Amino acid sequence: MKRFLSTTAIVLTMTGAAFAEAHSEGFGNVAVEQTDFLASDLIGMRIYNSEAEVDAATPVANGAEQEWDDIGEINDIIVSKDGEVTAVILGIGGFLGLGERDVSISMDKIRILNDEDGDRFLVVNTSKEMLEQAPEFERPMMDGEAMEGEAMTETDDNVTVVTENAETETEEMANEVEAETEEMVQETENAAENLEAETEEMANEVEAESEEMEQEAETMMENAEAETEEAVNEAEANTTVITGDETVERELLPRPEVEREGYAAAEADMIQQMSADDLEGSYVYGANDETVGEIDTLLIGDNGQIDRVVINVGGFLGLGEKPVAVTFDELQVLKNVEGDDVRIYIDSTEERLESQPEYQGD
């Protein structure tokens, strides 16, 4: 109610002569000028502090408020008995590094500035010390002073009536709640009985379906065993032995089919004619040209041809690397058509190669 009265007062005050003229003619003719404020706009606005004097008649540059200190927010306004806005109540705290408290600032100390875009700013010229020393605003107990004697008795009677009405309404609500509770209990019991019947029916259906699924599972198991045996036979035909202290079998990687501009796939005869110096030390790349390792050693088979390749993966600056052996058939070698540069690719990633068994040496 106080804020509503304040809002009304400031609108009447700040419209000035326009209101006085309209009042003589009747209500509803008050026009709000472009320079006027609505109380709803004023309350909640930020107030800034400028160390330099400011001229309200001269627009400030856009962003000028960034050079000012934000000292608080308008929480309320003070209106005299004549309807004049005499001061605003400013909530300060963050600017002082203390808890928020209210202080009053006279309206004649506030400058209303406009920037080049027409935005308004409220600015005062003060200091941190002055704000710290300003007494805290205490709201007058106008309501308490008015509620004395007969007014207080009338209030007590009203409170008694309200209390009696509240007790009656509470009793009615309690009866309604009790009736609704009994109805809900009955509905719950009926639902429980229906649920029990539905559960029994569902149990019978589940039992029948379980027997059917069990039969299907046995059939699927038999088929899976046959397929597994077939897959094992196929896998055995697609594995290679990694030599070392013990024999380990792993699945061969498919040879990648990478195409790069200026490079051509080297023929098998050409690759076999390459020396160890041509290949050892070369980087091995994944399909996306990421480095996955470096060729360490070429392993020659009984036929005198390159049989396997040892790739060093992981590590940093040659430390912590893990040697992994792959067959030469898992690699694709690209040779520069106009030079001797060689690029070697594998259909794998560094993490996948690191998961392979470590090559221990023949």
Side-chain angles (χ1 to χ4, degrees), residues 58-202:
T58 304
V60 297
N62 293 339
E65 73 278 6
Q66 298 179 5
E67 303 296 329
W68 306 329
D69 291 321
D70 185 341
I71 61 175
E73 176 183 354
I74 295 179
N75 292 333
D76 214 333
I77 57 178
I78 299 176
V79 182
S80 70
K81 65 180 181 179
D82 298 324
E84 179 183 359
V85 176
T86 58
V88 298
I89 308 303
L90 177 65
I92 61 175
F95 174 66
L96 302 177
L98 305 172
E100 181 170 319
R101 63 192 184 95
D102 288 343
V103 298
S104 60
I105 297 181
S106 175
M107 280 299 297
D108 59 10
K109 299 295 184 183
I110 300 175
R111 298 291 180 266
I112 302 174
L113 303 183
N114 295 275
D115 66 9
E116 296 171 349
D117 290 337
D119 294 330
R120 290 173 174 172
F121 299 94
L122 304 181
V123 181
V124 296
N125 183 248
T126 183
S127 65
K128 182 176 181 179
E129 291 72 18
M130 292 178 62
L131 289 173
E132 288 177 338
Q133 297 173 6
E136 183 172 358
F137 176 76
E138 296 183 1
R139 296 180 180 274
M141 297 297 294
M142 292 183 294
D143 292 344
E145 294 176 359
M147 295 182 65
E148 297 178 357
E150 295 180 0
M152 185 65 72
T153 301
E154 182 179 353
T155 300
D156 292 340
D157 293 340
N158 292 336
V159 170
T160 300
V161 173
V162 170
T163 302
E164 291 176 353
N165 292 338
E167 290 176 352
T168 301
E169 292 177 358
T170 301
E171 184 177 356
E172 292 178 354
M173 290 176 63
N175 294 334
E176 292 178 359
V177 168
E178 183 178 358
E180 291 177 356
T181 302
E182 292 178 356
E183 183 178 354
M184 291 175 63
V185 168
Q186 185 61 45
E187 291 178 353
T188 302
E189 291 178 354
N190 295 337
E193 293 176 357
N194 295 335
L195 180 60
E196 184 178 356
E198 292 176 358
T199 302
E200 184 177 357
E201 181 179 355
M202 290 176 62

Side-chain angles (χ1 to χ4, degrees), residues 242-297:
I242 306 302
T243 58
D245 294 338
E246 58 185 23
T247 300
V248 180
E249 292 186 350
R250 68 177 184 84
E251 183 178 358
L252 292 176
L253 297 172
R255 171 174 287 180
E257 296 181 0
V258 179
E259 296 181 359
R260 293 293 180 269
E261 185 177 356
Y263 287 82
E267 299 295 335
D269 293 340
M270 181 185 300
I271 297 173
Q272 293 296 341
Q273 292 173 5
M274 291 182 181
S275 66
D277 292 337
D278 293 331
L279 298 176
E280 290 180 355
S282 299
Y283 289 112
V284 180
Y285 301 92
N288 296 321
D289 287 314
E290 73 278 15
T291 303
V292 298
E294 180 181 2
I295 292 182
D296 178 70
T297 307

Side-chain angles (χ1 to χ4, degrees), residues 10 18 24 30 38-39 61 76 102 140 179-180 197 207 219 222 237 240 251 262 312 338 341:
I10 193 169
S24 62
V30 178
L38 295 178
D76 214 333
D102 288 343
E180 291 177 356
E207 183 178 358
T219 303
E222 294 174 356
T240 184
E251 183 178 358
N312 287 333
E338 297 181 357
D341 183 40

